[in-house]
């Protein structure tokens, strides 16, 4: 089956610093990737839709200047959490949609802890 | 505003018995529903889906039922196995596939 990887799997950073999370589709091309966030014991919340070669579309309440998304190729999207604060600590998951739109595959997630 | 709701945070079932997970939704524009299974520290993996034009879809031990008038769907796992112990998320999508709205999840524990 299709594989989506995320790097790093776990990161700890200090408050005020920026962290970049990569999402890669390893064996297929993904025109569209999605970024989700999951707080403990809560559902996955869609943050933004990332389209290759264009600006990301953010969900209501998600600060686009804080969560920078770049989708520079058909296999890579990055999420940069800028000026991270402890309340940004969460589990971030990406998913990649096949170009025919039939399937969506999730990455393993990145655990971000901001101290 | 939570458009997809899973009101049971946990479910314990004996091995070999049936697990029934429930999901309710509020948005009548949803036309595609999916169930995902998630282990700790891993991303969700797709389990089974159903489109709004159907009321039942079966795949091996997993069956999803959709009641559009009640805006309710359920996932049946039979027989339940210890490896089924995980968190199960219900998700819904509007026309065109893509953006998913997730429920809060149900933790299933299958006991020997």
């Amino acid at each position: 089956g299709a594989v989506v990887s995320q790097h790093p799997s776990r990161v700890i950073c200090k408050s005020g610093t920026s962290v970049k999370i990569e999402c890669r589709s390893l064996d297929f091309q993904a025109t569209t990737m999605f970024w989700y966030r999951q707080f403990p014991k809560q559902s996955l919340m869609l943050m933004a839709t990332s389209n290759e070669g264009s600006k990301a579309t953010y969900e209501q309440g998600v600060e686009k200047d804080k969560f920078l998304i770049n989708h520079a190729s058909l296999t890579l999207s990055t999420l940069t959490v800028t000026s991270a604060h402890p309340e940004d600590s969460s589990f971030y998951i990406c998913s990649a949609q096949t170009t025919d739109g039939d399937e969506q595959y999730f990455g393993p997630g990145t655990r971000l802890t901001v101290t | 505003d939570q458009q997809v709701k899973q009101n049971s945070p946990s479910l314990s079932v004996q091995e070999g018995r049936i697990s029934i997970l429930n999901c309710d939704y509020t948005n009548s524009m949803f036309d595609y529903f999916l169930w995902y299974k998630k282990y700790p520290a891993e991303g969700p993996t797709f389990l089974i889906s159903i489109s709004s034009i159907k009321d039942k879809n079966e795949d091996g031990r997993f069956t999803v039922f959709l009641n559009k008038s009640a805006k309710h769907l359920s996932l049946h796992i039979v027989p339940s196995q210890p490896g089924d112990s995980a968190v199960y998320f219900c998700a819904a999508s509007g026309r065109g596939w893509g953006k998913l709205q997730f429920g809060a999840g149900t933790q299933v524990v299958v006991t020997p």
Side-chain angles (χ1 to χ4, degrees), chain B residues 4 19 24-28 35 49 65 69 72 79-80 85 94 98 102 105:
Chain B
V4 179
S19 295
D24 297 291
Y25 61 95
T26 58
N27 191 338
S28 57
W35 284 93
S49 65
F65 296 92
S69 59
H72 176 84
S80 300
S85 297
F102 281 85

Side-chain angles (χ1 to χ4, degrees), chain A residues 12-104:
Chain A
I12 300 172
C13 70
K14 291 190 175 179
S15 189
T17 61
S18 295
V19 174
K20 181 187 282 189
I21 303 170
E22 293 185 348
C23 176
R24 292 181 186 274
S25 56
L26 297 185
D27 50 2
F28 67 100
Q29 293 185 327
T31 311
T32 303
M33 291 184 175
F34 302 92
W35 286 95
Y36 295 85
R37 179 170 54 186
Q38 184 187 23
F39 291 107
K41 300 194 186 302
Q42 294 187 27
S43 66
L44 285 83
M45 299 296 294
L46 179 66
M47 298 175 66
T49 303
S50 168
N51 295 299
E52 187 266 338
S54 64
K55 289 184 178 180
T57 305
Y58 291 82
E59 295 300 300
Q60 192 174 8
V62 179
E63 300 174 57
K64 63 180 181 181
D65 294 329
K66 181 170 182 62
F67 298 99
L68 301 179
I69 291 172
N70 184 277
H71 193 156
S73 78
L74 287 171
T75 59
L76 173 65
S77 175
T78 60
L79 168 69
T80 301
V81 183
T82 62
S83 187
H85 288 107
E87 56 265 31
D88 298 324
S89 298
S90 186
F91 194 56
Y92 292 85
I93 300 176
C94 73
S95 70
Q97 186 176 3
T98 56
T99 49
D100 59 9
D102 275 357
E103 305 284 346
Q104 186 174 149

Side-chain angles (χ1 to χ4, degrees), chain B residues 5-98:
Chain B
K5 298 177 184 178
Q6 291 175 258
N7 292 319
S8 297
S10 64
L11 172 70
S12 183
V13 65
Q14 234 178 350
E15 182 178 1
R17 306 291 270 267
I18 185 171
S19 295
I20 300 177
L21 292 84
N22 294 302
C23 177
D24 297 291
Y25 61 95
T26 58
N27 191 338
S28 57
M29 299 301 290
F30 287 143
D31 66 354
Y32 200 71
F33 304 90
L34 310 93
W35 284 93
Y36 286 84
K37 180 177 176 179
K38 184 181 181 301
Y39 294 113
E42 294 183 14
T45 56
F46 171 75
L47 207 53
I48 193 168
S49 65
I50 188 167
S51 96
S52 60
I53 62 173
K54 293 189 173 182
D55 55 19
K56 178 182 174 182
N57 188 25
E58 194 171 348
D59 183 2
R61 296 186 297 116
F62 303 93
T63 304
V64 56
F65 296 92
L66 175 63
N67 183 333
K68 281 180 61 180
S69 59
K71 294 193 179 69
H72 176 84
L73 64 153
S74 61
L75 173 69
H76 292 208
I77 307 172
V78 55
S80 300
Q81 299 173 355
D84 295 331
S85 297
V87 178
Y88 289 79
F89 288 98
C90 169
S93 172
R95 192 169 300 280
W97 182 220

